[in-house]
């Protein structure tokens, strides 16, 4: 979003409706006004066909655990609904119960159970049922792990050795020491993708000779709104697309100073006819620090805005579910919520 000629006035209707204005000491035009009868002569009623035309998603970066994408043409309330659903309402599998047979480590049982519960589990939650308090553990609602580790001295270690990893055997207990114990037909059902911790190098406890941990863990399906251990994301965030509007031209040494007011890559200084000129090349990298607004020489020459309906969305998965699948599941959760509200409204109308 680049403009070098146009400078929107504060009372410009289009600016008030579609942009958030970033000023030196405040942020204005923050409230959404996209509803009927707000502006004379403008029909802002919701239109499904117009929504389909305007709504767009573009994936910019994708890995096994992280995805950044642009989502435009929607209201902030919808974007925030996706964020909240990703954090709290997409189900995963996590350790719910820990049965301690023996624990002589310095980590008390309650803390050990808490640490084990936070280990992300690589298991498809759609293949399991929710377990209620009245249900008994079954292969359709429970995953069982066992952890049995005992620390001993390494007979081959030199007497002068001080590194616990070399001096002792199993001086550290890792998530990779958790062994999946298939029940029922789980071994056959998940032979293509065996159930295991997402990461094998998570430190659970540290032991010394004679100490041991012997526990059995039961994983159940749950939601992040009940406990953070069931949240499928490390974080899900969004920010509005920055926009830098330049009125006229910024040239000479002022162009260099202007460039230095922004993070690297936002503004370039080009030479045209032997004159340095500031050009906005990638405003999405801008952190909207407002540094440029502190300098009197740029007053009335630059305006910082953010596009109200364009969101740069980032999903960081804990690894149990890939981020692109997480977003699809979040959309389905929102669809189900809308369907539930629709059924409730229809029932209320029929009861009148």
């Amino acid at each position: 979003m680049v403009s070098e000629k146009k400078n929107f006035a504060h009372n410009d209707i289009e600016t008030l409706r579609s942009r958030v204005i970033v000023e030196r000491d405040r942020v204005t035009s923050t409230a959404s006004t996209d509803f009927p009868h707000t502006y004379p002569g403008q029909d802002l009623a919701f239109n499904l066909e117009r929504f389909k035309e305007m709504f767009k998603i573009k994936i910019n970066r994708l890995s096994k655990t992280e995805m950044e994408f642009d989502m435009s043409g929607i209201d902030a309330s919808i974007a925030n609904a996706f964020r909240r659903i990703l954090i709290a309402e997409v189900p995963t599998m996590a350790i719910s119960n820990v049965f301690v047979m023996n624990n002589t480590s310095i980590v008390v049982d309650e803390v050990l159970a808490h640490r084990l519960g936070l280990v992300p589990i690589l298991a498809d939650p759609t293949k399991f049922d929710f377990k209620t308090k009245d249900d008994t553990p079954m292969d359709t609602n429970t995953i069982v792990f066992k952890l049995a580790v005992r620390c001993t001295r390494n007979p081959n270690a030199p007497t002068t050795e001080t590194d616990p990893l070399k001096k002792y055997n199993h001086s550290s207990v890792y998530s990779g020491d958790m062994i999946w114990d298939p029940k029922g037909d789980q071994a056959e059902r998940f032979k293509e993708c065996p159930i295991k911790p997402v990461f094998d190098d998570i430190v659970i406890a540290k032991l010394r000779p004679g100490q041991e941990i012997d526990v059995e863990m039961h994983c159940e399906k749950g939601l992040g709104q009940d406990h953070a251990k069931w949240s499928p994301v490390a974080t899900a965030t969004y920010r509005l697309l920055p926009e830098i509007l330049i009125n006229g031209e910024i040239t000479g040494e002022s162009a260099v100073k202007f460039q230095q007011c922004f993070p690297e890559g936002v503004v370039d200084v080009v030479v045209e006819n032997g004159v340095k000129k500031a050009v906005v090349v990638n405003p999405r990298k801008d952190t909207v620090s407002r540094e440029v607004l502190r300098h009197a020489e740029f007053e009335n020459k630059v305006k910082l805005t953010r596009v109200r309906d364009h969101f740069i969305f980032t999903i960081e998965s804990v690894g149990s579910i890939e981020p692109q699948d997480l977003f699809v599941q979040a959309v389905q959760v929102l669809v189900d919520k809308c369907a539930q509200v629709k059924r409730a409204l229809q029932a209320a109308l029929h009861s009148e």
Side-chain angles (χ1 to χ4, degrees):
M1 307 295 297
V2 182
S3 174
E4 297 185 356
K5 300 295 184 183
K6 189 175 181 181
N7 182 21
F8 289 110
H10 283 280
N11 60 354
D12 185 274
I13 291 179
E14 180 61 23
T15 304
L16 292 173
R17 192 180 72 80
S18 63
R19 299 293 189 272
V20 174
I21 311 299
V22 181
E23 300 185 38
R24 179 178 178 179
D25 57 351
R26 59 179 179 161
V27 178
T28 61
S29 187
T30 56
S32 175
T33 56
D34 285 345
F35 46 85
H37 311 300
T38 306
Y39 303 106
Q42 291 198 28
D43 178 19
L44 298 177
F46 178 78
N47 182 285
L48 182 59
E49 294 304 318
R50 184 169 58 195
F51 172 78
K52 290 180 179 179
E53 180 182 348
M54 299 299 296
F55 180 66
K56 293 180 176 60
I57 290 181
K58 177 185 177 183
I59 298 176
N60 300 311
R61 187 175 73 252
L62 178 63
S63 67
K64 295 289 288 185
T65 58
E66 187 175 354
M67 178 171 69
E68 181 188 279
F69 59 96
D70 284 18
M71 184 163 52
S72 58
I74 64 168
D75 187 75
S77 59
I78 306 299
N80 195 47
F82 286 134
R83 183 189 67 84
R84 292 174 65 92
I85 290 171
L86 284 164
I87 293 172
E89 297 186 63
V90 174
T92 63
M93 303 298 293
I95 295 170
S96 181
N97 296 301
V98 178
F99 303 93
V100 181
M101 268 64 79
N102 192 12
N103 175 26
T104 57
S105 72
I106 63 171
V107 183
V108 297
D109 294 352
E110 293 83 359
V111 176
L112 177 64
H114 182 265
R115 291 181 65 83
L116 289 168
L118 294 175
V119 174
I121 304 300
L122 184 62
D124 186 353
T126 62
K127 304 294 179 62
F128 292 91
D129 301 325
F130 283 100
K131 180 176 173 291
T132 66
K133 292 181 179 179
D134 299 326
D135 292 337
T136 57
M138 300 177 62
D139 61 311
T140 56
N141 60 24
T142 303
I143 300 171
V144 177
F145 281 94
K146 291 186 176 180
L147 175 63
V149 179
R150 181 181 178 86
C151 181
T152 60
R153 294 186 180 275
N154 181 6
N156 299 320
T159 57
T160 56
E161 183 60 65
T162 58
D163 185 354
L165 295 176
K166 298 177 181 179
K167 189 175 182 179
Y168 311 119
N169 295 318
H170 297 295
S171 63
S172 294
V173 182
Y174 296 98
S175 53
D177 295 319
M178 296 166 51
I179 307 301
W180 174 41
D181 185 14
K183 302 297 181 182
D185 65 346
Q186 288 181 350
E188 178 64 23
R189 285 164 54 199
F190 299 101
K191 64 180 180 180
E192 299 297 331
C193 185
I195 297 172
K196 65 183 186 70
V198 173
F199 306 103
D200 292 333
D201 57 351
I202 299 175
V203 178
I204 296 171
K206 293 190 176 183
L207 306 178
R208 290 300 179 263
Q211 297 179 345
E212 67 175 305
I213 294 176
D214 186 4
V215 298
E216 180 173 299
M217 298 151 281
H218 287 192
C219 299
E220 297 175 4
K221 187 175 180 177
L223 300 174
Q225 63 187 9
D226 296 323
H227 194 286
K229 65 186 176 185
W230 278 299
S231 180
V233 297
T235 186
T237 63
Y238 62 80
R239 61 189 179 96
L240 294 177
L241 178 69
E243 183 181 52
I244 302 169
L245 306 170
I246 299 178
N247 184 28
E249 294 184 349
I250 299 175
T251 59
E253 292 306 312
S254 292
V256 177
K257 185 175 181 179
F258 185 81
Q259 181 188 39
Q260 294 172 346
C261 291
F262 296 92
E264 184 178 356
V266 175
V267 175
D268 271 358
V269 175
V270 299
V271 178
E272 293 184 359
N273 300 321
V275 179
K276 295 178 180 178
K277 178 183 175 182
V279 178
V280 178
V281 291
N282 194 353
R284 68 182 295 120
K285 289 186 176 182
D286 185 31
T287 57
V288 197
S289 66
R290 296 186 273 193
E291 170 66 20
V292 69
L293 301 179
R294 297 176 58 218
H295 303 281
E297 62 195 277
F298 300 130
E299 189 174 352
N300 298 324
K301 286 190 175 182
V302 61
K303 182 181 291 294
L304 304 182
T305 70
R306 308 191 93 175
V307 184
R308 190 190 302 282
D309 67 346
H310 191 135
F311 301 90
I312 301 174
F313 215 107
T314 302
I315 299 174
E316 295 181 22
S317 169
V318 297
S320 55
I321 305 174
E322 293 189 356
Q324 68 272 23
D325 296 330
L326 280 175
F327 185 70
V328 172
Q329 293 182 32
V331 172
Q332 186 58 53
V333 170
L334 185 59
V335 169
D336 294 341
K337 284 177 175 289
C338 294
Q340 184 178 1
V341 172
K342 183 178 180 180
R343 289 193 299 268
L345 289 173
Q346 290 173 341
L349 291 173
H350 292 158
S351 64
E352 293 181 354

